[in-house]
């Protein structure tokens, strides 16, 4: 086997699909069911970016990945027949109700300035002009920025397409099998130990999401990856009162094409606790109604929580693990793992194939988060 991947979320599956597309033999070992953790729980927002104007490490990976999404979704669909629900629905970033303009210190101001600098299409919309874009917005919401190229994907369908694509490309998929150790000889990993035997390969890549710290600890590496819980409420509103993804600070409304609206998300450091809470869900419903009051009559269809893989600075760890010749990592994508999955897969596939990655991977080095490195 050329490559063994540990963890079958969107990052591991995307990498496996990419590697198999280049003729590599690949096995993915997953402790539960494929794509049922953070990759299933996420909201599927895909913010835009333009690589030419990107100046930071975050912007480069975001823009590189955003630029791949059209072709990535089309290739997955034509190969597997699964529609991932990828579409450019546009996005609207608004100030909080009652706030007249985005202050120069606000995150919104900095995000918009970065997009403008990159050359992403952004239009300011105030007052009536804002309501022409989204008539159902509360009158107290006064200022916003329209991003026509923002997209979304339905992540459970994306995972289904990736699993189908991996099967069609001959990837060996092993589910219900936790990796519980590494067999090491010098600076090389010979095999991973699982609950039902060993898996050998030339190279290994850890894509264990929020569990990556525990997985790498088995190889004697301590890297700071922390679970960050995100709760979500799924509303059903017929007809759906909004068309764009609407973001306000760290929370958002994501309209699906079938009248459902995702309201997300909390950001909580509570360990590996996937429960939803009254405070979390109540806060999200209050938030939704403060932006779009007519959602008061929507039904609550479902609530859930997922564990984002948090890194020390919100950027993923990508590359070789120091001290090893054949152990790699692609983890810690925090709030952007769905967006960054095609870019991560592309760059890691290049690295694992001894090609020069199109974007230099040094800023994403795992050394940033390693204790004792
Ligand atoms: C509420 C919420 C909203 C989000 N919204 C967005 C969004 O709008 N846009 C966006 O881009 N991102 C979003 N994200 C983030 C995104 O979902 C994650 O960054 C991404 O899914 C991480 O993918 P992953 O494959 O690294 O992790 P996961 O999907 O968690 O996959 C890791 C896998 O590793 C497996 N594993 C763990 N330990 C072992 C072991 N010992 N052996 C074998 N397998 C193991 C797990 O079972 C799991 O399946 C959101 C996340 C949440 C929770």
């Amino acid at each position: 086997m050329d490559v063994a991947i540990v963890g079958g979320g969107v990052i591991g599956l995307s990498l496996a699909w990419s590697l198999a597309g280049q003729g590599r033999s690949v096995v993915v070992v997953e402790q539960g069911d494929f794509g049922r953790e953070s990759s299933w729980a996420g909201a599927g927002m895909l913010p835009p970016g333009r690589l030419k104007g990107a100046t930071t490490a975050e912007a480069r990976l975001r823009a590189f990945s955003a630029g791949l999404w059209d072709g990535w979704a089309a290739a997955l669909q034509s190969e597997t027949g699964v529609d991932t629900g990828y579409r450019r629905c546009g996005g609207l970033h608004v100030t909080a109700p009652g706030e007249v303009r985005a202050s120069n210190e606000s995150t919104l101001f900095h995000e918009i300035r970065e997009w403008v600098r990159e050359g992403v299409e952004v239009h300011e919309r105030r007052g009536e002009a804002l309501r022409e874009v989204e008539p159902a917005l509360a009158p107290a919401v006064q200022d916003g920025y329209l991003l026509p190229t923002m997209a979304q994907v339905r992540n459970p369908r994306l995972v289904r397409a990736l699993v189908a694509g991996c099967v069609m490309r001959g990837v060996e998929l092993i589910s219900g099998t936790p990796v519980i150790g590494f067999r090491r000889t010098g600076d090389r990993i010979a095999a991973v130990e699982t609950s039902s035997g060993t898996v050998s390969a030339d190279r290994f890549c850890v894509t264990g999401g929020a569990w990556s710290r525990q997985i790498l600890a088995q190889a004697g590496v301590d890297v700071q990856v922390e679970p960050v819980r995100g709760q979500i409420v799924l509303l059903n509103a017929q007809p759906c009162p909004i068309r764009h993804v609407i973001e306000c600070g760290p929370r958002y409304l994501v309209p699906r094409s079938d009248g459902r609206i995702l309201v997300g998300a909390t950001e909580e450091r509570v360990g590996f606790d996937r429960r939803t809470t009254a405070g979390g869900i109540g806060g999200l419903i209050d938030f939704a109604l403060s932006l779009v009051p007519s959602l008061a009559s929507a039904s609550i269809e479902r609530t859930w929580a997922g564990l984002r893989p948090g890194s020390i600075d919100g950027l993923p760890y990508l590359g070789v693990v120091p001290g090893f010749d054949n152990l790699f990592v692609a983890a810690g994508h925090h709030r952007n793992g769905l967006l960054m999955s095609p870019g991560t897969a592309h760059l890691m596939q290049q690295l694992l194939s001894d090609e020069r990655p199109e974007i230099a991977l040094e800023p994403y080095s795992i050394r940033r988060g390693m204790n004792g490195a």
Side-chain angles (χ1 to χ4, degrees), residues 150-226:
M150 174 133 183
Q152 64 165 284
V153 67
R154 295 187 76 154
N155 30 307
R157 294 189 193 174
L158 171 66
V159 167
R160 217 181 312 141
L162 284 168
V163 168
C166 282
V167 170
M168 291 171 90
R169 289 185 178 181
V171 174
E172 188 182 344
L173 295 176
I174 305 175
S175 61
T177 307
V179 165
I180 52 174
F182 291 86
R183 287 209 180 153
R184 179 178 182 173
T185 316
D187 56 5
R188 286 188 69 78
I189 299 293
V192 288
E193 291 163 0
T194 77
S195 55
S196 54
T198 58
V199 176
S200 306
D202 288 340
R203 291 178 170 188
F204 298 83
C205 187
V206 172
T207 57
W211 293 264
S212 298
R213 184 176 201 159
Q214 283 72 6
I215 297 170
L216 283 163
Q218 296 165 7
V221 177
D222 185 18
V223 63
Q224 293 182 47
V225 179
E226 191 191 8

Side-chain angles (χ1 to χ4, degrees), residues 6-12 29-47 177-180 207-211 215 218 228-232 252 265 304-309 330-340:
V6 180
V10 73
I11 299 297
V29 187
E30 162 59 45
Q31 70 176 356
D33 291 329
F34 286 100
R36 289 297 298 183
E37 291 291 350
S38 192
S39 301
W40 183 91
M45 296 181 294
L46 308 174
T177 307
V179 165
I180 52 174
T207 57
W211 293 264
I215 297 170
Q218 296 165 7
V228 183
R229 184 169 72 185
Q231 301 187 43
I232 284 200
Y252 45 79
W304 66 81
L307 302 174
R308 305 178 188 93
H333 292 73
H334 196 216
R335 294 183 70 109
N336 292 309
L338 297 161
L339 167 68
M340 291 177 173

Side-chain angles (χ1 to χ4, degrees), residues 117-154:
R117 196 183 296 148
E118 280 173 36
V120 170
E121 193 183 344
V122 184
H123 307 283
E124 185 168 10
R125 293 284 184 265
R126 310 194 69 201
E128 276 319 297
L130 182 60
R131 250 150 291 284
E132 275 169 29
V133 180
E134 283 295 357
L137 276 175
V141 182
Q142 297 178 29
D143 199 8
Y145 297 86
L146 179 63
L147 291 153
T149 53
M150 174 133 183
Q152 64 165 284
V153 67
R154 295 187 76 154

Side-chain angles (χ1 to χ4, degrees), residues 2-329:
D2 291 329
V3 182
I5 294 174
V6 180
V10 73
I11 299 297
L13 291 170
S14 299
L15 175 58
W17 189 59
S18 273
L19 283 164
Q22 298 300 309
R24 313 269 159 215
S25 55
V26 186
V27 55
V28 188
V29 187
E30 162 59 45
Q31 70 176 356
D33 291 329
F34 286 100
R36 289 297 298 183
E37 291 291 350
S38 192
S39 301
W40 183 91
M45 296 181 294
L46 308 174
R50 263 191 91 235
L51 191 53
K52 246 182 165 178
T55 54
T56 64
E58 182 278 328
R60 273 193 293 278
L61 188 55
R62 168 171 47 76
F64 181 64
S65 218
L68 295 177
W69 257 104
D70 281 351
W72 184 259
L76 266 176
Q77 178 156 3
S78 77
E79 198 169 308
T80 66
V82 180
D83 176 3
T84 61
Y86 169 77
R87 66 188 172 99
R88 291 197 184 221
C89 55
L92 196 57
H93 282 243
V94 297
T95 52
E99 204 180 312
V100 180
R101 285 206 94 145
S103 83
N104 290 7
E105 286 81 45
S106 66
T107 311
L108 174 58
F109 180 84
H110 289 289
E111 274 177 0
I112 298 298
R113 200 175 54 176
E114 178 63 34
W115 271 314
V116 170
R117 196 183 296 148
E118 280 173 36
V120 170
E121 193 183 344
V122 184
H123 307 283
E124 185 168 10
R125 293 284 184 265
R126 310 194 69 201
E128 276 319 297
L130 182 60
R131 250 150 291 284
E132 275 169 29
V133 180
E134 283 295 357
L137 276 175
V141 182
Q142 297 178 29
D143 199 8
Y145 297 86
L146 179 63
L147 291 153
T149 53
M150 174 133 183
Q152 64 165 284
V153 67
R154 295 187 76 154
N155 30 307
R157 294 189 193 174
L158 171 66
V159 167
R160 217 181 312 141
L162 284 168
V163 168
C166 282
V167 170
M168 291 171 90
R169 289 185 178 181
V171 174
E172 188 182 344
L173 295 176
I174 305 175
S175 61
T177 307
V179 165
I180 52 174
F182 291 86
R183 287 209 180 153
R184 179 178 182 173
T185 316
D187 56 5
R188 286 188 69 78
I189 299 293
V192 288
E193 291 163 0
T194 77
S195 55
S196 54
T198 58
V199 176
S200 306
D202 288 340
R203 291 178 170 188
F204 298 83
C205 187
V206 172
T207 57
W211 293 264
S212 298
R213 184 176 201 159
Q214 283 72 6
I215 297 170
L216 283 163
Q218 296 165 7
V221 177
D222 185 18
V223 63
Q224 293 182 47
V225 179
E226 191 191 8
V228 183
R229 184 169 72 185
Q231 301 187 43
I232 284 200
V233 183
L234 181 66
L235 300 179
N236 196 334
Q238 305 288 348
C240 184
I242 58 170
R243 289 184 301 127
H244 300 83
V245 168
I246 302 179
E247 290 191 61
C248 182
R251 296 184 293 186
Y252 45 79
L253 305 174
V254 182
R256 299 300 198 208
S257 50
D258 56 8
R260 292 186 170 85
I261 299 177
L262 287 159
V263 186
T266 61
E267 205 170 318
E268 306 159 87
R269 292 172 194 268
V270 290
F272 290 91
D273 178 354
R274 246 193 253 94
R275 284 176 302 170
T276 52
T277 62
I281 298 302
L284 291 172
I285 293 173
D286 288 347
F287 162 77
L289 301 191
S290 73
L291 287 193
V292 180
S294 61
L295 284 175
S297 58
S299 57
I300 299 174
E301 203 164 286
R302 199 170 171 184
T303 62
W304 66 81
L307 302 174
R308 305 178 188 93
S311 69
I312 52 162
D313 50 13
L315 273 181
Y317 304 117
L318 307 178
V320 69
V321 177
F324 291 89
D325 192 37
N326 66 341
L327 179 61
F328 297 77
V329 64

